[in-house]
């Protein structure tokens, strides 16, 4: 029988360490430091969740508190990147929640791709590129020749440069069928590379959803599993801007556990599962 994995060193204690109460003075200090160090505006994230995660992250690295974490991260670029990854949680995969992708394809992409000369899609918070390349694969399967432009943006430069590489390990390819691998990827040793024709459909760009201006006239905006730690006002502001960035009739596609309360006040209407539509 396999021995269950047990973390070693400080990480072993992190799971059992009590979570400290939110200290608002220390949190404000953390927010100031993180803005300077990582360029992230924590005032628009839910403080209790961020505080819990930052403390857990510090404890797991044998550091007593967020102040010590920030002090070390200033001089330790590996820790700084891990800190950024933890705050932005770039977990993702191809065809994440397949039934939702099927609905996007059948109900929305098909009519767009069959009736328009060009379709514009934005993958906002694209992580390592799984989402924009999922969009590219679905679009090509529906309409092999229609022009499809996919803008893929993320806050994290390191994540973006890995996404631009468009190369994935066997484990990262879990959601991709054999047929899709054969059609859209090229095998290179133990890695899988997105074929240039598919890669050419996607433009990667750095963009902070909390402060940067958004492009306009998208047919589809995917923003999935990105805003979970944003405050409610920050989310409402973002969704209003998304509505403005969609063309009339365009569709906003959220993550499986996300929804928009009072969606009509923001100018959108519910359109099944986690889809919202800008009225046409
Ligand atoms: C959990 S991943 C989601 C990836 C993909 N959308 C999915 O659902 O599989 C969240 C991504 O959002 C990005 N992110 C977090 N805050 C952001 C912000 N303010 N602006 C843009 N991207 C952000 C992170 O860097 C990360 O790559």
């Amino acid at each position: 029988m396999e021995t269950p994995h047990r973390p070693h060193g400080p990480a072993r204690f992190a799971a059992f360490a009590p979570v400290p109460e939110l200290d608002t003075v220390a949190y404000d200090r953390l927010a100031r430091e993180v803005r300077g160090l990582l360029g992230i505006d924590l005032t628009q994230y839910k403080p209790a969740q961020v505080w819990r995660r930052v403390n857990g992250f510090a404890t797991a690295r044998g550091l007593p508190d967020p102040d010590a974490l920030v002090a070390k991260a200033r001089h330790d670029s590996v820790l700084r990147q891990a800190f950024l990854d933890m705050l932005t949680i770039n977990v993702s995969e191809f065809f994440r929640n397949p039934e939702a992708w099927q609905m996007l394809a059948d109900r929305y992409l098909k009519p767009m791709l069959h009736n328009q000369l060009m379709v514009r899609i934005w993958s906002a918070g694209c992580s390592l590129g799984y989402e924009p390349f999922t969009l590219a694969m679905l679009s090509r399967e529906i309409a092999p020749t229609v022009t499809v432009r996919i803008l893929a943006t993320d806050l994290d430069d390191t994540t973006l440069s890995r996404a631009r590489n468009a190369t994935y390990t066997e484990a990262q390819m879990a959601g991709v069928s054999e047929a899709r691998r054969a059609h859209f990827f090229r095998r290179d040793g133990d890695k899988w590379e997105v074929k240039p024709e598919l890669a050419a459909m996607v433009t990667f760009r750095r963009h902070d959803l909390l402060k940067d201006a958004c492009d306009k006239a998208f047919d589809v905006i995917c923003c999935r599993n990105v805003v979970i730690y944003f405050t409610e006002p920050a989310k409402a502001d973002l969704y209003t801007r998304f509505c403005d960035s969609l063309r009339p009739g365009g569709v906003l596609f959220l993550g499986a556990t996300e929804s928009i309360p009072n969606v009509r006040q923001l100018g959108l209407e519910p359109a099944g599962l986690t889809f919202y539509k800008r009225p046409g």
Side-chain angles (χ1 to χ4, degrees):
M1 203 171 85
E2 252 182 38
T3 316
H5 169 75
R6 289 218 178 84
H8 301 289
R12 208 170 116 218
F13 302 106
F16 308 106
V19 177
E21 289 266 307
L22 175 63
D23 171 342
T24 49
V25 176
Y27 189 81
D28 289 347
R29 195 163 57 239
L30 174 72
R32 264 197 316 277
E33 294 289 349
V34 163
R35 187 197 291 267
L37 198 62
L38 306 175
I40 296 182
D41 180 5
L42 287 187
T43 61
Q44 301 204 58
Y45 287 70
K46 292 176 185 161
Q49 277 91 333
V50 172
W51 188 245
R52 177 171 45 76
R53 291 174 56 230
V54 171
N55 273 279
F57 182 79
T59 311
R61 277 150 189 82
L63 298 163
D65 54 36
D67 288 330
L69 170 63
V70 166
K72 187 154 193 246
R74 247 187 233 120
H75 309 287
D76 179 338
S77 60
V78 175
L79 178 65
R80 200 158 58 238
Q81 183 59 44
F83 188 16
L84 179 66
D85 287 348
M86 183 277 295
L87 282 174
T88 56
I89 19 162
N90 57 20
V91 176
S92 187
E93 62 194 28
F94 290 108
F95 296 95
R96 187 175 191 177
N97 313 117
E99 64 298 336
W101 286 105
Q102 197 57 51
M103 181 158 167
L104 177 75
D106 293 342
R107 195 185 282 188
Y108 298 113
L109 286 180
K110 274 182 192 163
M112 287 172 187
L113 287 160
H114 290 156
N115 296 313
Q116 297 175 210
L117 295 176
M118 183 172 82
V119 171
R120 293 186 67 225
I121 306 178
W122 179 15
S123 166
C126 66
S127 183
L128 297 176
Y130 303 95
E131 189 174 277
F133 291 130
T134 297
L135 286 160
M137 285 187 260
L138 284 177
S139 303
R140 275 295 161 262
E141 285 169 355
I142 297 167
T145 56
V146 174
T147 303
V148 177
R149 299 231 167 96
I150 300 168
L151 173 66
T153 63
D154 204 281
L155 176 68
D156 183 349
D157 279 319
T158 310
T159 298
L160 278 174
S161 63
R162 289 174 61 194
R164 283 191 191 97
N165 261 343
T167 302
Y168 300 91
T169 63
E170 183 64 42
Q172 290 174 319
M173 293 289 287
V176 187
S177 66
E178 289 304 321
R180 284 179 172 142
R181 288 176 192 214
H183 200 75
F184 297 117
F185 290 80
R186 203 166 51 193
R187 193 162 197 157
D188 180 15
D190 57 355
K191 298 272 170 61
W192 294 87
E193 257 178 43
V194 175
K195 284 190 181 166
E197 311 85 88
L198 202 76
M201 296 167 69
V202 180
T203 303
F204 289 98
R205 191 200 296 165
R206 188 187 183 280
H207 180 275
D208 184 346
L209 289 165
L210 289 169
K211 59 176 190 231
D212 294 333
C214 302
D215 287 5
K216 300 268 190 274
F218 288 103
D219 296 289
V220 177
I221 298 177
C222 294
C223 186
R224 312 187 69 227
N225 312 299
V226 178
V227 304
I228 25 183
Y229 297 114
F230 288 10
T231 61
E232 293 309 317
K235 281 195 233 180
D237 175 62
L238 179 64
Y239 292 143
T240 308
R241 288 186 286 125
F242 277 162
C243 179
D244 199 37
S245 285
L246 285 169
R247 66 156 179 78
V251 170
L252 172 62
F253 177 24
L254 304 184
T257 59
E258 297 169 300
S259 61
I260 310 181
N262 306 321
V263 66
R264 288 178 204 279
Q265 286 174 18
L266 307 181
L268 294 161
E269 58 188 35
L273 289 183
T274 52
F275 293 92
Y276 296 89
K277 204 166 180 176
R278 177 173 176 178

